[in-house]
Amino acid sequence: MKLLVVSTPLGPLGSGLGGGVEITLNSLVAGLLDRGHSITVLAAEGSSLGPSCQRAELWLRSGRPQLSSQHADREADVVMPADGLLPQFWRAVLEQASSGRFEAVVNLAYDWLPFWLTPTLALPVFHLVSMGSVNAAMDGVIAQVAAWDQRRLAFHTATQAADFDLPGPPVVVGNGFDLDAYGLCLEPDALLGWVGRVAPEKGLEDAAAAAMQLGRRLAVWGLVEDRAYAAAVEASVPAGTLDWRGFLATDQLQAELGRCQALLNTPKWNEAYGNVVVEAMACGVPVVAYRRGGPGELVQPGLNGWLVEPDDTTALAEAVCRVDGIDRRRCRAWVEQEASRAVFAERLEGWIERGLQICR
């Protein structure tokens, strides 16, 4: 297949501004290239693709970043900057609609415009939905596409898909990771870890509270989106509890993350998947997570971590005390079976090919 993959308009690939979509895009592109498909990526100016994606063509566009739906009020109107990346991306897609260069578009952006355009385009558009329900306008336009042709939609987890009004069972593709980029660490340090964008919906304060209860140090990796929030979290625990390590590329992150005894995952909203959960497991790190969103499907209690009830920091701390009973090799084995790049690419290929058979 000849596919045009449209990136997130939140910022350049490689900046961390796109969150988990950046990991998903690189895995999707590399996996489909490995299966013999031709891939072009449409992304923000300043973007770079990972080493395994260099056979893909990269088209760049400039413009103002789109505001994230995740940070909008639930009933907020759709807002698009006139000189924004989002309209630039989809102007480029429209220009290719009758060119014959591509067989399909794969959209990774969680934005209203591409979903709304889908029934009107001659070029088939497939959406890998990257978030759960956060905004009424997005819920509505996803439901409209589902009612028109649900085969155009795929989700990371069944839990995520359950957020939306779908007429039939969802296509669930999970996510994928280049496991060669993650080393298995069997001898961790006495260190807890937390990875994510530092913003209120990610719940860092709960991980900090659990670390404080245990008298343990918590390493924090991720882009600080809300500095006031970060400062408030740090002020809520004794000095030295939090070890701020910043946003790191995968090779650096996995080397440090693998040294953790456990990863704490404490989102305050329904994560669609939970990339950092799988990245930790790929290094052999058990995960202690809230039974909420995608991580509730990924963590298999007693096998690769433990689940506790959401927002219960005492239960979170108690579960950390049980991670030594988990074989770190089994954490890695679960990822190899369920979330490798090859497995992900095969699922994606099947989804798109089935959809194209109908379109033809």
Side-chain angles (χ1 to χ4, degrees):
M1 295 182 289
K2 296 178 180 178
L3 303 174
L4 176 59
V5 176
V6 183
S7 178
T8 171
L10 298 180
L13 292 171
S15 67
L17 293 170
V21 172
E22 296 191 25
I23 293 174
T24 299
L25 184 142
N26 276 282
S27 181
L28 176 151
V29 170
L32 291 176
L33 286 170
D34 287 345
R35 295 185 69 82
H37 304 292
S38 173
I39 308 294
T40 298
V41 177
L42 180 59
E45 191 172 55
S47 291
S48 60
L49 295 171
S52 57
C53 300
Q54 294 307 304
R55 286 176 289 147
E57 187 173 358
L58 182 59
W59 289 358
L60 301 178
R61 295 292 185 273
S62 60
R64 290 172 58 194
Q66 178 68 17
L67 298 175
S68 172
S69 298
Q70 183 177 352
H71 297 144
D73 292 337
R74 180 151 195 88
E75 301 302 324
D77 293 333
V78 174
V79 176
M80 289 178 283
D83 57 347
L85 277 169
L86 183 62
Q88 289 290 346
F89 283 175
W90 289 89
R91 184 175 291 115
V93 173
L94 287 167
E95 290 168 355
Q96 295 297 323
S98 59
S99 69
R101 178 167 183 170
F102 301 105
E103 294 175 67
V105 177
V106 180
N107 172 52
L108 301 184
Y110 191 89
D111 291 292
W112 181 87
L113 180 61
F115 287 91
W116 182 80
L117 284 171
T118 298
T120 71
L121 289 175
L123 185 59
V125 180
F126 293 83
H127 303 273
L128 179 51
V129 182
S130 61
M131 291 198 293
S133 172
V134 295
N135 174 266
M138 285 300 301
D139 288 359
V141 77
I142 290 172
Q144 288 170 14
V145 172
W148 174 72
D149 186 355
Q150 191 180 314
R151 290 165 297 211
R152 301 295 188 90
L153 304 175
F155 301 87
H156 290 295
T157 60
T159 302
Q160 172 205 10
D163 275 359
F164 301 102
D165 184 11
L166 306 176
V171 173
V172 176
V173 295
N175 213 341
F177 300 81
D178 177 8
L179 298 185
D180 290 339
Y182 299 88
L184 174 62
C185 177
L186 297 177
E187 297 181 359
D189 298 328
L191 179 70
L192 303 178
W194 185 95
V195 185
R197 290 178 295 101
V198 181
E201 67 273 9
K202 294 292 188 176
L204 173 59
E205 69 271 22
D206 286 8
M212 177 182 66
Q213 291 176 43
L214 294 165
R216 302 281 292 279
R217 186 162 54 100
L218 179 70
V220 178
W221 292 275
L223 185 71
V224 179
E225 284 191 346
D226 188 327
R227 294 194 177 278
Y229 167 73
V233 173
E234 184 161 32
S236 70
V237 293
T241 301
L242 300 183
D243 179 359
W244 299 94
R245 300 198 178 185
F247 174 77
L248 299 181
T250 297
D251 59 341
Q252 297 173 281
L253 174 62
Q254 65 87 28
E256 296 187 19
L257 179 59
R259 303 302 308 173
C260 290
Q261 183 188 24
L263 177 82
L264 305 186
N265 184 254
T266 53
K268 295 294 184 177
W269 69 306
N270 284 341
E271 294 272 10
Y273 186 72
N275 286 341
V276 300
V277 167
V278 179
E279 289 187 283
M281 293 176 187
C283 299
V285 180
V287 177
V288 178
Y290 286 156
R291 196 186 305 275
R292 172 182 277 153
E297 289 184 32
L298 304 177
V299 176
Q300 308 298 303
L303 174 69
N304 54 21
W306 297 105
L307 293 171
V308 302
E309 291 308 303
D311 310 318
D312 188 339
T313 60
T314 299
L316 199 67
E318 291 172 350
V320 169
C321 298
R322 291 185 280 148
V323 297
D324 285 343
I326 291 176
D327 185 342
R328 292 169 74 94
R329 295 179 186 85
R330 297 179 73 189
C331 296
R332 171 77 178 205
W334 183 90
V335 179
E336 291 172 349
Q337 181 176 340
E338 300 291 339
S340 71
R341 191 169 72 189
V343 168
F344 182 47
E346 186 175 359
R347 292 170 180 160
L348 291 167
E349 181 186 74
W351 163 51
I352 298 168
E353 286 185 341
R354 288 190 297 272
L356 285 176
Q357 287 171 5
I358 303 298
C359 294
R360 292 170 183 146

